[in-house]
Amino acid sequence: MRTVQVGPLTVLPAAAALLAALVASPGLGDPALVAGAGVAVVTCLLVTRGVRRERLTRLGPADFVTLARAVLTAGVTALVVQSWSTPVARWLVVTLAAVALVTDLLDGRLARRRGETTRFGAVLDMETDAFLILVLSCYAVPLLGPWVLLIGLARYLLLVAGAAWPWLTAQTPPRRWAKVVAAVQGVVLTTVAADVLPRGLSAALTLAALLLLAESFGHQVLALRRQRREHPVPRSPLVRATLDAAALLLVWVALLVPRRPDQLSPTALVGIPLELLLFVALAVVLPTRPGRVLAVAGGVVLTAFLVVTGLDLGFYTSFDRPFNPLSDPGYVGSGLDLVHRSAGRQGQALALGGVALLVVATLAVCMWAMLRLRRSVHRAPRPWSRALVALALVWVGAGIGGAQVSGIPVASAPAASLVRSQVDEVGAELRDREVFDRALTHDPYALTPGADLLQGLRGKDVLLVFVESYGRVALDGSWFAPMVERTVATADQQLASLGFGARSGWLRSPTFGGISWLAHSTLQTGLWIDSQQRYDQVLSGDRFNISQAFGRAGWRTVSDIPSDDGAWEQGRRFYGFDRMYNSRDVGYRGPRFSYARIPDQYTLRAFAQNELDRPGRRPVMAEIDLVSSHTPWTPLPRMVPWSQIGDGSLYDGMQPTHTSFLHLLGGSDQQRDYARSIQYSLRSLVSFVRHAHDKNLVMVVLGDHQPNTNVSGTGVSHDVPISLIAHDPHVLRRISGWGWTPGLHPDSDGPVLRMDHFRDRFLTAFGSRPAGP
């Protein structure tokens, strides 16, 4: 009869009791509960398997102490996962971790005193400690940064390396210093998690612990290497051939990964990379030591190639263009700010940690593949030479004949092509600086006096309203366009009932998927600003822009940018705004809705109160940014009665503060969320017009760019809708020759105007006369 060891099963009810207590107070969400329960179930299964493998008849008291630590680790895991979405009491995490560390002092001593030390108990103790340290390092990331994950991942990186080099999984004699180092990691991470020390001191202690851990693992690897040399373990020919084939396949695929998302298909891998042929040729002729140097250098180069290829894929996905090595590194701060605003500090830390881990893992895999491939070639040079000659002949023949498979050339040189394209990109950027400098010097309106500007809008309140990510895809050519079209049709009816009319057309935006400030500056200055370099050039000068035109003509000029958290120096110096509102000075006391600090409806209500409702005021010109439709487009606020908006406290509890970080990476619901966010922004605009009671109101409402390719797809235009809304029919008659469509929905086949041409056309239509040629 088969006996059942009930000892491991005690983990489940103990963990269930602990998690139930945590659910009651402080409260756990579903992801946290699943994570904690998962740790408990996996522990039970692994312990049961270990007991059967070691043929143990029972668990000793020391084993039960270790299982208690595993239960506490499940609780810590649940709390850490919960902290990624909502604040968790720090003292509770630290208390559970500290109790778990205390049990680590008891189980080994108890086993030795009772003479019950077993290999199973030692492994259970080590793996439980390793997982607790991993969880604590995740919790410390928001405090110190993603580098702390190196402590938690060290054990698991060694296990992954053991899959490639089995000698790393062998047993070594016990080393007391290694146990001390492991205990230090837990104590240091728990102290850091308590957040009672200055951050600098916490970082120094953690770095010291990491160095101790590196020394301990280095000592173990060197010991295993010596042990391997003394007692080599032969590897079967099948395993060797499988690893050689895997290394060759990895290098081949890595070199042929396309740089554009629309080219990702199996046919992209049919080419023969010239760089691989050159590496194999050198590996055949070089001796052992230079060959290893070649393989290491090749691994570094292959990693760099994959990083740049990944950047190209990411930039094509987000911005419909390749990565620019000269100006795009400056967007790192903006990207981190986006993740922080959308997914919180924990999400930002996870993003940084994930990127760092991905780069390190890529480097490790590339180094292994190149070293393995060199060794395989060096071990059997004759068959590799024959294969090399055959592939080289095919490459030359395919290159001469221009052979392709589904548009992909068979004879390829992907790394050389990437280097050439990056060099060309840098060269083009440097040449463009001179071209753009010349364009900056020509401006027919720069010297026009205020009396000759915007005569057709005198006495009007003019709002330039950018609706974030409002692109053609919202109204045309997508499955979700009918959702937005219904909202637009309703908005047309509501505006008409208020006596307002609209004309709409299309603009061609200089950007795609993001980097909105390029579109804003293009529209304002009448210059095509499609790169950060051009943006920096124009803002460092004194280019005449639409805001300056209104200010020179007597309007009070205002900017209202709810995504800004502080002063905007260029707003006053370059655009000349008299007043600039941001998220901190409009009285908002409600929650953050992902990236959007303030809901659009509140932004417009606050603007009306602060500017339009002021007695005895001048006409106002304002640039207002509506950002509720900014990626990741969820969570969204609901429309609320205008009179109940107050200080925004009404929004409390309406949605969680942050969206899931994983939502930023894409998903099947993103398109629906995007459409709903555009609907919300448009409804907010109509609500504003209804409650502003301003018959002198004129609004230019437009999108800044299309949403990223996760929503819009690949190969789409850069078009965005633009509408002129006014109560005075004379305003609309001034653009009757533009070919725009009545209402808020432009005709699908209507004319498309480049965004940089709008400024001069707008100034001319409303009675501005250029002062120069």
Side-chain angles (χ1 to χ4, degrees):
M1 180 180 296
R2 185 176 181 178
T3 60
V4 177
Q5 175 58 259
V6 297
L9 298 178
T10 58
V11 173
L12 298 180
L18 177 59
L19 293 175
L22 295 177
V23 167
S25 178
L28 295 178
D30 291 340
L33 192 60
V34 169
V39 171
V41 171
V42 170
T43 300
C44 178
L45 294 176
L46 292 179
V47 171
T48 301
R49 180 184 178 188
V51 167
R52 290 176 179 173
R53 177 177 293 178
E54 298 295 326
R55 297 182 179 180
L56 299 177
T57 58
R58 65 181 181 84
L59 296 180
D63 296 325
F64 280 105
V65 172
T66 308
L67 289 179
R69 185 160 72 256
V71 170
L72 293 171
T73 301
V76 174
T77 301
L79 291 173
V80 171
V81 172
Q82 184 65 29
S83 72
W84 295 347
S85 56
T86 58
V88 169
R90 193 173 294 278
W91 67 267
L92 187 55
V93 177
V94 172
T95 300
L96 291 181
V99 174
L101 292 176
V102 170
T103 64
D104 191 29
L105 300 175
L106 301 177
D107 51 4
R109 184 173 301 178
L110 185 60
R112 289 189 294 272
R113 179 175 297 178
R114 295 176 58 89
E116 295 178 345
T117 56
T118 63
R119 181 175 178 273
F120 165 79
V123 171
L124 176 62
D125 177 67
M126 178 180 65
E127 298 301 340
T128 303
D129 290 346
F131 189 75
L132 177 60
I133 289 172
L134 173 61
V135 174
L136 289 174
S137 66
C138 291
Y139 190 63
V141 165
L143 299 174
L144 299 180
W147 63 272
V148 183
L149 288 173
L150 291 174
I151 294 178
L153 293 172
R155 165 64 182 162
Y156 303 98
L157 291 175
L158 185 63
L159 290 177
V160 171
W165 297 285
W167 54 271
L168 288 173
T169 61
Q171 295 294 316
T172 56
R175 186 180 179 226
R176 184 171 183 80
W177 175 246
K179 298 178 181 179
V180 173
V181 171
V184 167
Q185 309 305 309
V187 172
V188 169
L189 288 174
T190 302
T191 304
V192 170
D195 200 21
V196 295
L197 300 177
R199 291 293 169 84
L201 180 57
S202 294
L205 288 175
T206 308
L207 180 59
L210 178 59
L211 292 176
L212 289 175
L213 188 65
E215 183 279 332
S216 180
F217 272 88
H219 182 279
Q220 181 179 356
V221 170
L222 291 175
L224 289 170
R225 188 175 179 84
R226 287 194 299 268
Q227 182 175 295
R228 175 199 180 201
R229 290 176 176 174
E230 295 171 359
H231 306 286
V233 180
R235 180 174 281 163
S236 70
L238 178 61
V239 172
R240 178 181 295 173
T242 301
L243 292 175
D244 290 345
L248 175 63
L249 183 63
L250 276 171
V251 176
W252 194 305
V253 171
L255 285 170
L256 292 176
V257 172
R259 296 164 54 203
R260 296 180 61 107
D262 55 349
Q263 295 176 348
L264 289 173
S265 67
T267 58
L269 305 178
V270 300
I272 301 174
L274 176 62
E275 293 82 1
L276 178 59
L277 301 183
L278 292 176
F279 176 80
V280 172
L282 290 173
V284 168
V285 300
L286 288 177
T288 300
R289 189 177 297 275
R292 288 176 179 169
V293 174
L294 170 70
V296 170
V300 173
V301 171
L302 186 60
T303 301
F305 173 81
L306 285 175
V307 168
V308 177
T309 299
L311 288 170
D312 274 345
L313 285 169
F315 269 73
Y316 270 114
T317 299
S318 298
F319 309 125
D320 195 32
R321 63 172 179 82
F323 171 73
N324 185 317
L326 198 61
S327 59
D328 287 342
Y331 295 137
V332 171
S334 299
L336 292 175
D337 180 64
L338 168 62
V339 177
H340 179 263
R341 290 169 182 261
S342 302
R345 187 171 61 177
Q346 289 82 5
Q348 185 186 54
L350 283 175
L352 283 170
V355 170
L357 180 61
L358 181 61
V359 172
V360 171
T362 301
L363 177 62
V365 171
C366 289
M367 295 284 283
W368 172 83
M370 298 299 279
L371 287 167
R372 182 78 203 184
L373 183 57
R374 186 217 64 87
R375 187 185 308 167
S376 175
V377 173
H378 189 72
R379 191 169 52 240
R382 183 166 298 179
W384 275 102
S385 297
R386 293 170 182 165
L388 174 64
V389 171
L391 287 173
L393 290 174
V394 173
W395 192 94
V396 172
I400 294 174
Q404 295 184 349
V405 176
S406 299
I408 306 297
V410 175
S412 64
S417 175
L418 178 64
V419 171
R420 184 174 63 251
S421 67
Q422 294 294 301
V423 171
D424 291 344
E425 190 77 27
V426 171
E429 192 88 348
L430 294 175
R431 290 190 298 272
D432 181 70
R433 183 184 297 273
E434 298 179 3
V435 173
F436 195 59
D437 275 336
R438 290 194 295 270
L440 284 169
T441 61
H442 175 70
D443 189 346
Y445 286 98
L447 301 178
T448 301
D452 293 336
L453 288 170
L454 301 163
Q455 295 176 358
L457 291 173
R458 300 288 175 172
K460 306 296 184 184
D461 294 315
V462 183
L463 308 186
L464 184 59
V465 183
F466 282 95
V467 179
E468 175 68 36
S469 301
Y470 185 26
R472 180 185 279 267
V473 70
L475 298 173
D476 185 26
S478 65
W479 70 264
F480 51 85
M483 296 171 56
V484 181
E485 287 177 318
R486 288 192 292 270
T487 301
V488 168
T490 302
D492 273 331
Q493 295 173 3
Q494 293 173 334
L495 288 174
S497 69
L498 297 170
F500 281 80
R503 298 291 183 272
S504 299
W506 302 105
L507 295 183
R508 180 70 44 80
S509 175
T511 184
F512 182 99
I515 321 180
S516 307
W517 52 91
L518 303 184
H520 295 207
S521 56
T522 292
L523 189 91
Q524 284 263 17
T525 63
L527 294 170
W528 188 254
I529 303 174
D530 59 350
S531 69
Q532 188 64 33
Q533 174 179 279
R534 286 194 164 202
Y535 180 81
D536 293 338
Q537 279 181 263
V538 72
L539 261 70
S540 65
D542 56 357
R543 173 74 178 189
F544 188 64
N545 52 69
I546 292 177
S547 299
Q548 289 181 10
F550 277 96
R552 189 180 295 178
W555 271 264
R556 171 178 165 84
T557 57
V558 175
S559 73
D560 194 337
I561 307 178
S563 57
D564 278 358
D565 291 330
W568 182 32
E569 178 186 349
Q570 294 89 346
R572 191 175 305 280
R573 185 193 61 77
F574 179 77
Y575 289 106
F577 291 120
D578 298 315
R579 180 69 165 90
M580 293 176 291
Y581 295 99
N582 58 47
S583 64
R584 299 183 182 276
D585 58 5
V586 290
Y588 184 69
R589 299 292 182 268
R592 175 186 289 276
F593 285 84
S594 190
Y595 176 87
R597 174 69 179 91
I598 301 175
D600 289 347
Q601 191 181 10
Y602 185 95
T603 295
L604 293 168
R605 200 290 306 266
F607 172 79
Q609 286 185 336
N610 292 330
E611 293 295 333
L612 300 185
D613 295 346
R614 294 172 58 189
R617 62 177 178 82
R618 288 182 290 161
V620 175
M621 177 274 166
E623 179 183 326
I624 302 176
D625 296 353
L626 301 184
V627 295
S628 290
S629 53
H630 194 290
T631 180
W633 306 298
T634 184
L636 271 177
R638 296 189 303 270
M639 292 295 296
V640 297
W642 193 266
S643 60
Q644 297 179 19
I645 294 177
D647 64 358
S649 301
L650 177 70
Y651 296 108
D652 285 331
M654 191 176 290
Q655 290 285 1
T657 302
H658 295 297
T659 189
S660 166
F661 167 68
L662 296 178
H663 189 89
L664 297 174
L665 305 180
S668 59
D669 294 332
Q670 270 205 347
Q671 293 175 325
R672 189 181 304 278
D673 292 335
Y674 165 75
R676 288 172 175 168
S677 71
I678 296 295
Q679 289 176 302
Y680 170 77
S681 295
L682 295 177
R683 289 167 180 156
S684 298
L685 273 170
V686 175
S687 176
F688 164 74
V689 174
R690 180 186 302 115
H691 292 88
H693 305 295
D694 185 359
K695 292 185 178 181
N696 288 318
L697 184 64
V698 176
M699 294 197 300
V700 179
V701 179
L702 73 155
D704 46 14
H705 53 71
Q706 290 261 51
N708 63 45
T709 56
N710 289 330
V711 172
S712 61
T714 58
V716 299
S717 73
H718 288 210
D719 298 348
V720 297
I722 180 170
S723 301
L724 180 65
I725 304 170
H727 189 277
D728 185 349
H730 292 91
V731 172
L732 299 178
R733 290 195 194 104
R734 284 183 171 268
I735 65 166
S736 58
W738 290 12
W740 284 13
T741 308
L744 296 176
H745 194 316
D747 186 81
S748 297
D749 299 324
V752 179
L753 181 71
R754 277 177 41 133
M755 192 174 283
D756 57 325
H757 294 169
F758 176 81
R759 188 202 72 162
D760 289 0
R761 178 175 284 197
F762 178 80
L763 292 176
T764 301
F766 290 100
S768 303
R769 291 193 295 270

